[in-house]
Amino acid sequence: MKESRQTFLYLFCILWLLLLLKTASCSPLPRGKDPRAPSLPFGLYKGHTCVGCVLVVSVIEQLAQWHNSTVKAAVERLCDYIPEKLQGFCYVLAELYGPHIAELIDKEMNADVVCHSLRLCKQDPGQPLCHLYSPPKVGLSVAIRKAKRIMKTSKDLKSFMGFSSVCAFPLLANLCEKIKFVLRNKLPFEDFDGDKFSTFPTLRGYHWRGRDCNDKNTTVYPGRRPDNWDAKSDSNCNGIWGVDPKDGIPYEEKFCKGADSRGVVLLGDSAGAHFHIPPEWMTATQMSAKSFANLPMAFSDEFDWPQFSEITGFLNSTIGGWTDSLYLRLRKRNRCNHRDLQNISQNGGSSGNLLSLIKSLARNQLLDNPAIVIYATIGNDVCNGERDTLAHMTTPKEMLSNVVQALRYLDSRLPNGSHVILTGLVDGRFLWDNLHDRYHPLGQLNKDVTYSQVYSFLDCLQVSPCSGWLTPNETLRNLTSERALQLSNVLKEIARSEKFANFDIFYMDFPLRQTAEEWRKMGGEPWQLIEPVDGFHPSQIAAALGTGITWQKALHEWPQVLGKENPFNDQIEAIFKDQGGY
């Protein structure tokens, strides 16, 4: 079983790499609409393809420079860094594109020129040529024409570029359908009993939801109330079951009865899912085989790392910083809460498309414990990659409708005694103010790529995660923050005025200012709170600090949300220490 899982995981990664799936990007989904059903390869979207090409060619060029090698040797080095079972795919691409890339780089053509000449970057009619680097002295258009004359594209390359879908292969059709299912429904790929929980980590498995402890029984899953106090088996997967031989009382009854057990659910976006691209993947001076060891996992988790995230993180961070989460604090407060977590987030999530995503919630009003639901779409209602970005932002009226619909759905699913916390939108001016003139990881070797250049490149391609904030236009940045504040006020008013049968509702501002202040006290710099590669998302440090701020607010203002501290925690750990793993 383990071997078949790994085989599928590598096949999945190969397809995902080949298709450059747009859903793996952090760019917002269409406003107010459900996520489109993936029609592989809709990810061969020209903007993302161009970004991918420029990044890869840049890395190859820098590897050759850093190791004083030929471009061909740099390509081979890059393939050698990739996990062994993916190397064959890398070498196929290297064979296909490598000679053309090497020839152009040897003639001092930069990555922009190379990718335009390979037709992986395209110019829309009437639009400028998009570029990451400063244009060559002769001009970008002239350099591209010269590159096309130098490079006579082979028939093999033409054939590959013209092939519309690898899913047309009969042997891959079924696998593509499975990938579509994972991407469309945000449910575990491997879930034999259909209870929405899994024993496999990635592909929307237990990195996203508490780990199932019996994937052949639909009545056994994290978060349910214990069946007959779990005298004979562990029905809620918290590791507490059996009967105390001293008095004949089931351990679950003895330790968890009346303990205010509750789970935590996040309804969110890429920030909540914890989008992260390791900077080592783009830094030639730090690159090694170890850097790419987590590549299959990253791809199969959609470039998200929910296992380290602010709300549902449960593993020690391997991407810098440390892990502190609302779930870990709830578990420490009450060991009976073990594994009761759900991260229902997606890259590009907004108040509109969350109405579809929310249907993947796993909660039974009659059988399960109450839950704390964090509703946090902190940016995508004002963020998009459109040129007329203001016209594509969610309006206050739309925000009101979307959130109230979501809350009504929750009221029909959550057990009585649950709680909902609405989180306001972030003030994204923080991003430009602290990053625009710093060097991006891709530009650190030659001091030639700043975040301002990255933002402009993405904006030109219309794949910017946020055209309104990642821009030199101060007026536009201010207008975007103004709309974000209006939408936050909508959330605040909903928390004040709306009432629901099965949960109470609270509001809190996104704690960016407090997080920055806390980090400064610790000797840190504001830019370290932002993901270094995308220059947009909260970093691991920001996530961990934000947890503490949220916890203290809840502890002092809404203590009923967190439940009681369980006095039996030490006894539970002593008896069940070997059954508390993930």
mmCIF file of all heavy atoms in Angstrom, residues 325-359:
data_model
loop_
_atom_site.group_PDB
_atom_site.id
_atom_site.type_symbol
_atom_site.label_atom_id
_atom_site.label_comp_id
_atom_site.label_asym_id
_atom_site.label_seq_id
_atom_site.Cartn_x
_atom_site.Cartn_y
_atom_site.Cartn_z
ATOM 1 N N SER A 325 -0.103 27.201 16.901
ATOM 2 C CA SER A 325 -1.404 27.277 16.247
ATOM 3 C C SER A 325 -2.523 27.261 17.270
ATOM 4 O O SER A 325 -2.350 26.844 18.426
ATOM 5 C CB SER A 325 -1.593 26.105 15.280
ATOM 6 O OG SER A 325 -1.760 24.891 15.989
ATOM 7 N N LEU A 326 -3.684 27.706 16.838
ATOM 8 C CA LEU A 326 -4.865 27.656 17.689
ATOM 9 C C LEU A 326 -5.177 26.212 18.060
ATOM 10 O O LEU A 326 -5.519 25.917 19.205
ATOM 11 C CB LEU A 326 -6.050 28.297 16.958
ATOM 12 C CG LEU A 326 -7.371 28.368 17.726
ATOM 13 C CD1 LEU A 326 -7.216 29.129 19.028
ATOM 14 C CD2 LEU A 326 -8.454 29.001 16.857
ATOM 15 N N TYR A 327 -5.026 25.305 17.085
ATOM 16 C CA TYR A 327 -5.280 23.888 17.384
ATOM 17 C C TYR A 327 -4.345 23.376 18.473
ATOM 18 O O TYR A 327 -4.779 22.707 19.427
ATOM 19 C CB TYR A 327 -5.114 23.036 16.123
ATOM 20 C CG TYR A 327 -4.946 21.573 16.458
ATOM 21 C CD1 TYR A 327 -6.024 20.818 16.899
ATOM 22 C CD2 TYR A 327 -3.690 20.961 16.392
ATOM 23 C CE1 TYR A 327 -5.861 19.481 17.258
ATOM 24 C CE2 TYR A 327 -3.523 19.626 16.743
ATOM 25 C CZ TYR A 327 -4.616 18.890 17.175
ATOM 26 O OH TYR A 327 -4.451 17.585 17.549
ATOM 27 N N LEU A 328 -3.043 23.647 18.367
ATOM 28 C CA LEU A 328 -2.094 23.146 19.362
ATOM 29 C C LEU A 328 -2.402 23.693 20.747
ATOM 30 O O LEU A 328 -2.279 22.980 21.751
ATOM 31 C CB LEU A 328 -0.670 23.516 18.956
ATOM 32 C CG LEU A 328 -0.028 22.674 17.855
ATOM 33 C CD1 LEU A 328 1.353 23.215 17.508
ATOM 34 C CD2 LEU A 328 0.054 21.206 18.255
ATOM 35 N N ARG A 329 -2.832 24.935 20.798
ATOM 36 C CA ARG A 329 -3.166 25.519 22.107
ATOM 37 C C ARG A 329 -4.449 24.922 22.677
ATOM 38 O O ARG A 329 -4.561 24.721 23.888
ATOM 39 C CB ARG A 329 -3.259 27.034 21.989
ATOM 40 C CG ARG A 329 -1.900 27.677 21.696
ATOM 41 C CD ARG A 329 -1.926 29.175 21.859
ATOM 42 N NE ARG A 329 -0.609 29.751 21.624
ATOM 43 C CZ ARG A 329 -0.100 30.770 22.314
ATOM 44 N NH1 ARG A 329 -0.795 31.324 23.295
ATOM 45 N NH2 ARG A 329 1.100 31.246 22.024
ATOM 46 N N LEU A 330 -5.422 24.646 21.815
ATOM 47 C CA LEU A 330 -6.646 23.987 22.279
ATOM 48 C C LEU A 330 -6.346 22.573 22.757
ATOM 49 O O LEU A 330 -6.915 22.099 23.750
ATOM 50 C CB LEU A 330 -7.680 23.952 21.154
ATOM 51 C CG LEU A 330 -8.378 25.270 20.837
ATOM 52 C CD1 LEU A 330 -9.177 25.149 19.548
ATOM 53 C CD2 LEU A 330 -9.294 25.689 21.986
ATOM 54 N N ARG A 331 -5.452 21.885 22.053
ATOM 55 C CA ARG A 331 -5.071 20.528 22.450
ATOM 56 C C ARG A 331 -4.327 20.540 23.784
ATOM 57 O O ARG A 331 -4.547 19.670 24.636
ATOM 58 C CB ARG A 331 -4.187 19.902 21.366
ATOM 59 C CG ARG A 331 -3.795 18.454 21.631
ATOM 60 C CD ARG A 331 -2.790 17.973 20.592
ATOM 61 N NE ARG A 331 -2.436 16.576 20.779
ATOM 62 C CZ ARG A 331 -1.545 16.136 21.653
ATOM 63 N NH1 ARG A 331 -0.893 17.000 22.433
ATOM 64 N NH2 ARG A 331 -1.285 14.831 21.757
ATOM 65 N N LYS A 332 -3.457 21.523 23.963
ATOM 66 C CA LYS A 332 -2.737 21.629 25.230
ATOM 67 C C LYS A 332 -3.695 21.951 26.366
ATOM 68 O O LYS A 332 -3.521 21.472 27.499
ATOM 69 C CB LYS A 332 -1.662 22.724 25.123
ATOM 70 C CG LYS A 332 -0.802 22.875 26.370
ATOM 71 C CD LYS A 332 0.270 23.934 26.170
ATOM 72 C CE LYS A 332 1.132 24.069 27.423
ATOM 73 N NZ LYS A 332 2.185 25.111 27.248
ATOM 74 N N ARG A 333 -4.713 22.741 26.079
ATOM 75 C CA ARG A 333 -5.711 23.119 27.081
ATOM 76 C C ARG A 333 -6.589 21.920 27.441
ATOM 77 O O ARG A 333 -7.018 21.770 28.588
ATOM 78 C CB ARG A 333 -6.565 24.258 26.532
ATOM 79 C CG ARG A 333 -7.514 24.909 27.523
ATOM 80 C CD ARG A 333 -8.161 26.111 26.862
ATOM 81 N NE ARG A 333 -9.062 26.825 27.735
ATOM 82 C CZ ARG A 333 -8.700 27.751 28.616
ATOM 83 N NH1 ARG A 333 -7.408 28.067 28.743
ATOM 84 N NH2 ARG A 333 -9.587 28.365 29.377
ATOM 85 N N ASN A 334 -6.845 21.091 26.444
ATOM 86 C CA ASN A 334 -7.708 19.931 26.670
ATOM 87 C C ASN A 334 -7.260 18.817 25.734
ATOM 88 O O ASN A 334 -7.557 18.829 24.546
ATOM 89 C CB ASN A 334 -9.173 20.298 26.409
ATOM 90 C CG ASN A 334 -10.109 19.133 26.630
ATOM 91 O OD1 ASN A 334 -9.699 18.043 27.029
ATOM 92 N ND2 ASN A 334 -11.388 19.346 26.359
ATOM 93 N N ARG A 335 -6.551 17.842 26.282
ATOM 94 C CA ARG A 335 -5.996 16.739 25.479
ATOM 95 C C ARG A 335 -7.081 15.952 24.738
ATOM 96 O O ARG A 335 -6.813 15.296 23.724
ATOM 97 C CB ARG A 335 -5.177 15.837 26.404
ATOM 98 C CG ARG A 335 -4.678 14.545 25.822
ATOM 99 C CD ARG A 335 -3.751 14.737 24.643
ATOM 100 N NE ARG A 335 -3.264 13.449 24.180
ATOM 101 C CZ ARG A 335 -3.982 12.541 23.522
ATOM 102 N NH1 ARG A 335 -5.240 12.819 23.220
ATOM 103 N NH2 ARG A 335 -3.462 11.383 23.169
ATOM 104 N N CYS A 336 -8.326 16.057 25.186
ATOM 105 C CA CYS A 336 -9.426 15.354 24.523
ATOM 106 C C CYS A 336 -9.695 15.917 23.122
ATOM 107 O O CYS A 336 -10.384 15.281 22.321
ATOM 108 C CB CYS A 336 -10.702 15.443 25.364
ATOM 109 S SG CYS A 336 -10.515 14.753 27.029
ATOM 110 N N ASN A 337 -9.147 17.099 22.821
ATOM 111 C CA ASN A 337 -9.341 17.726 21.511
ATOM 112 C C ASN A 337 -8.397 17.186 20.436
ATOM 113 O O ASN A 337 -8.408 17.678 19.299
ATOM 114 C CB ASN A 337 -9.128 19.242 21.609
ATOM 115 C CG ASN A 337 -10.182 19.933 22.442
ATOM 116 O OD1 ASN A 337 -11.330 19.495 22.496
ATOM 117 N ND2 ASN A 337 -9.795 21.022 23.107
ATOM 118 N N HIS A 338 -7.598 16.202 20.766
ATOM 119 C CA HIS A 338 -6.578 15.686 19.848
ATOM 120 C C HIS A 338 -7.173 15.323 18.489
ATOM 121 O O HIS A 338 -8.182 14.635 18.395
ATOM 122 C CB HIS A 338 -5.922 14.464 20.477
ATOM 123 C CG HIS A 338 -4.840 13.851 19.655
ATOM 124 N ND1 HIS A 338 -3.729 14.549 19.246
ATOM 125 C CD2 HIS A 338 -4.689 12.587 19.156
ATOM 126 C CE1 HIS A 338 -2.938 13.747 18.545
ATOM 127 N NE2 HIS A 338 -3.501 12.557 18.464
ATOM 128 N N ARG A 339 -6.521 15.820 17.436
ATOM 129 C CA ARG A 339 -6.846 15.554 16.028
ATOM 130 C C ARG A 339 -8.123 16.235 15.530
ATOM 131 O O ARG A 339 -8.491 16.038 14.368
ATOM 132 C CB ARG A 339 -6.948 14.051 15.748
ATOM 133 C CG ARG A 339 -5.622 13.321 15.756
ATOM 134 C CD ARG A 339 -5.793 11.910 15.255
ATOM 135 N NE ARG A 339 -4.523 11.167 15.313
ATOM 136 C CZ ARG A 339 -4.402 9.881 15.089
ATOM 137 N NH1 ARG A 339 -5.461 9.164 14.771
ATOM 138 N NH2 ARG A 339 -3.222 9.291 15.161
ATOM 139 N N ASP A 340 -8.785 17.015 16.338
ATOM 140 C CA ASP A 340 -10.043 17.633 15.896
ATOM 141 C C ASP A 340 -9.745 18.960 15.198
ATOM 142 O O ASP A 340 -9.856 20.036 15.788
ATOM 143 C CB ASP A 340 -10.994 17.835 17.073
ATOM 144 C CG ASP A 340 -12.421 18.105 16.618
ATOM 145 O OD1 ASP A 340 -12.642 18.212 15.399
ATOM 146 O OD2 ASP A 340 -13.311 18.212 17.482
ATOM 147 N N LEU A 341 -9.343 18.861 13.948
ATOM 148 C CA LEU A 341 -9.000 20.050 13.170
ATOM 149 C C LEU A 341 -9.412 19.850 11.720
ATOM 150 O O LEU A 341 -9.405 18.736 11.205
ATOM 151 C CB LEU A 341 -7.496 20.332 13.253
ATOM 152 C CG LEU A 341 -6.556 19.275 12.662
ATOM 153 C CD1 LEU A 341 -6.130 19.641 11.238
ATOM 154 C CD2 LEU A 341 -5.328 19.092 13.537
ATOM 155 N N GLN A 342 -9.771 20.958 11.063
ATOM 156 C CA GLN A 342 -10.075 20.952 9.633
ATOM 157 C C GLN A 342 -9.613 22.279 9.036
ATOM 158 O O GLN A 342 -10.044 23.338 9.489
ATOM 159 C CB GLN A 342 -11.570 20.779 9.369
ATOM 160 C CG GLN A 342 -12.143 19.446 9.832
ATOM 161 C CD GLN A 342 -13.618 19.321 9.525
ATOM 162 O OE1 GLN A 342 -14.046 19.435 8.369
ATOM 163 N NE2 GLN A 342 -14.420 19.071 10.556
ATOM 164 N N ASN A 343 -8.746 22.212 8.052
ATOM 165 C CA ASN A 343 -8.314 23.407 7.333
ATOM 166 C C ASN A 343 -8.989 23.387 5.963
ATOM 167 O O ASN A 343 -8.550 22.722 5.036
ATOM 168 C CB ASN A 343 -6.788 23.432 7.179
ATOM 169 C CG ASN A 343 -6.281 24.780 6.687
ATOM 170 O OD1 ASN A 343 -6.858 25.365 5.774
ATOM 171 N ND2 ASN A 343 -5.209 25.262 7.276
ATOM 172 N N ILE A 344 -10.090 24.115 5.871
ATOM 173 C CA ILE A 344 -10.871 24.154 4.636
ATOM 174 C C ILE A 344 -10.556 25.476 3.946
ATOM 175 O O ILE A 344 -11.299 26.456 4.029
ATOM 176 C CB ILE A 344 -12.377 23.999 4.934
ATOM 177 C CG1 ILE A 344 -12.612 22.696 5.705
ATOM 178 C CG2 ILE A 344 -13.187 23.995 3.642
ATOM 179 C CD1 ILE A 344 -14.038 22.481 6.135
ATOM 180 N N SER A 345 -9.404 25.502 3.320
ATOM 181 C CA SER A 345 -8.907 26.711 2.668
ATOM 182 C C SER A 345 -8.478 26.365 1.254
ATOM 183 O O SER A 345 -8.209 25.208 0.937
ATOM 184 C CB SER A 345 -7.710 27.292 3.429
ATOM 185 O OG SER A 345 -8.049 27.592 4.760
ATOM 186 N N GLN A 346 -8.388 27.370 0.423
ATOM 187 C CA GLN A 346 -7.876 27.155 -0.927
ATOM 188 C C GLN A 346 -7.146 28.399 -1.407
ATOM 189 O O GLN A 346 -7.470 29.524 -1.015
ATOM 190 C CB GLN A 346 -8.999 26.811 -1.900
ATOM 191 C CG GLN A 346 -9.955 27.945 -2.205
ATOM 192 C CD GLN A 346 -11.032 27.536 -3.198
ATOM 193 O OE1 GLN A 346 -11.040 26.416 -3.685
ATOM 194 N NE2 GLN A 346 -11.946 28.438 -3.499
ATOM 195 N N ASN A 347 -6.158 28.184 -2.245
ATOM 196 C CA ASN A 347 -5.459 29.300 -2.853
ATOM 197 C C ASN A 347 -6.439 30.077 -3.719
ATOM 198 O O ASN A 347 -7.103 29.513 -4.577
ATOM 199 C CB ASN A 347 -4.285 28.798 -3.690
ATOM 200 C CG ASN A 347 -3.277 28.046 -2.852
ATOM 201 O OD1 ASN A 347 -3.162 28.275 -1.652
ATOM 202 N ND2 ASN A 347 -2.538 27.138 -3.472
ATOM 203 N N GLY A 348 -6.513 31.382 -3.491
ATOM 204 C CA GLY A 348 -7.455 32.202 -4.242
ATOM 205 C C GLY A 348 -8.821 32.282 -3.602
ATOM 206 O O GLY A 348 -9.757 32.822 -4.191
ATOM 207 N N GLY A 349 -8.973 31.760 -2.385
ATOM 208 C CA GLY A 349 -10.272 31.761 -1.732
ATOM 209 C C GLY A 349 -10.762 33.159 -1.387
ATOM 210 O O GLY A 349 -9.999 34.018 -0.962
ATOM 211 N N SER A 350 -12.050 33.392 -1.596
ATOM 212 C CA SER A 350 -12.681 34.674 -1.268
ATOM 213 C C SER A 350 -14.060 34.399 -0.697
ATOM 214 O O SER A 350 -14.512 33.250 -0.659
ATOM 215 C CB SER A 350 -12.806 35.538 -2.530
ATOM 216 O OG SER A 350 -13.716 34.942 -3.440
ATOM 217 N N SER A 351 -14.745 35.440 -0.267
ATOM 218 C CA SER A 351 -16.077 35.251 0.316
ATOM 219 C C SER A 351 -17.035 34.623 -0.685
ATOM 220 O O SER A 351 -17.969 33.918 -0.301
ATOM 221 C CB SER A 351 -16.637 36.581 0.813
ATOM 222 O OG SER A 351 -16.900 37.468 -0.273
ATOM 223 N N GLY A 352 -16.815 34.867 -1.983
ATOM 224 C CA GLY A 352 -17.695 34.325 -3.012
ATOM 225 C C GLY A 352 -17.481 32.853 -3.249
ATOM 226 O O GLY A 352 -18.402 32.037 -3.134
ATOM 227 N N ASN A 353 -16.239 32.444 -3.576
ATOM 228 C CA ASN A 353 -16.033 31.029 -3.889
ATOM 229 C C ASN A 353 -15.954 30.157 -2.638
ATOM 230 O O ASN A 353 -15.993 28.932 -2.722
ATOM 231 C CB ASN A 353 -14.812 30.830 -4.793
ATOM 232 C CG ASN A 353 -13.562 31.483 -4.264
ATOM 233 O OD1 ASN A 353 -13.177 31.243 -3.134
ATOM 234 N ND2 ASN A 353 -12.927 32.322 -5.076
ATOM 235 N N LEU A 354 -15.886 30.780 -1.456
ATOM 236 C CA LEU A 354 -15.944 30.002 -0.226
ATOM 237 C C LEU A 354 -17.310 29.324 -0.052
ATOM 238 O O LEU A 354 -17.436 28.332 0.660
ATOM 239 C CB LEU A 354 -15.657 30.908 0.979
ATOM 240 C CG LEU A 354 -15.242 30.217 2.284
ATOM 241 C CD1 LEU A 354 -13.926 29.475 2.101
ATOM 242 C CD2 LEU A 354 -15.122 31.232 3.404
ATOM 243 N N LEU A 355 -18.324 29.868 -0.719
ATOM 244 C CA LEU A 355 -19.658 29.282 -0.630
ATOM 245 C C LEU A 355 -19.688 27.880 -1.222
ATOM 246 O O LEU A 355 -20.531 27.063 -0.832
ATOM 247 C CB LEU A 355 -20.677 30.176 -1.336
ATOM 248 C CG LEU A 355 -20.898 31.551 -0.693
ATOM 249 C CD1 LEU A 355 -21.823 32.409 -1.541
ATOM 250 C CD2 LEU A 355 -21.452 31.394 0.718
ATOM 251 N N SER A 356 -18.794 27.599 -2.136
ATOM 252 C CA SER A 356 -18.660 26.238 -2.663
ATOM 253 C C SER A 356 -17.744 25.408 -1.777
ATOM 254 O O SER A 356 -18.045 24.264 -1.432
ATOM 255 C CB SER A 356 -18.120 26.282 -4.095
ATOM 256 O OG SER A 356 -17.836 24.992 -4.572
ATOM 257 N N LEU A 357 -16.638 25.987 -1.377
ATOM 258 C CA LEU A 357 -15.647 25.270 -0.574
ATOM 259 C C LEU A 357 -16.221 24.793 0.758
ATOM 260 O O LEU A 357 -15.881 23.716 1.250
ATOM 261 C CB LEU A 357 -14.447 26.187 -0.331
ATOM 262 C CG LEU A 357 -13.265 25.608 0.435
ATOM 263 C CD1 LEU A 357 -12.615 24.494 -0.370
ATOM 264 C CD2 LEU A 357 -12.253 26.701 0.757
ATOM 265 N N ILE A 358 -17.114 25.578 1.340
ATOM 266 C CA ILE A 358 -17.638 25.285 2.670
ATOM 267 C C ILE A 358 -18.379 23.954 2.722
ATOM 268 O O ILE A 358 -18.523 23.346 3.781
ATOM 269 C CB ILE A 358 -18.554 26.452 3.130
ATOM 270 C CG1 ILE A 358 -18.747 26.436 4.646
ATOM 271 C CG2 ILE A 358 -19.894 26.403 2.421
ATOM 272 C CD1 ILE A 358 -19.507 27.644 5.157
ATOM 273 N N LYS A 359 -18.808 23.477 1.555
ATOM 274 C CA LYS A 359 -19.565 22.224 1.507
ATOM 275 C C LYS A 359 -18.703 21.005 1.797
ATOM 276 O O LYS A 359 -19.226 19.901 1.978
ATOM 277 C CB LYS A 359 -20.251 22.090 0.149
ATOM 278 C CG LYS A 359 -21.311 23.164 -0.086
ATOM 279 C CD LYS A 359 -21.878 23.124 -1.492
ATOM 280 C CE LYS A 359 -22.859 24.282 -1.715
ATOM 281 N NZ LYS A 359 -23.359 24.332 -3.107
#
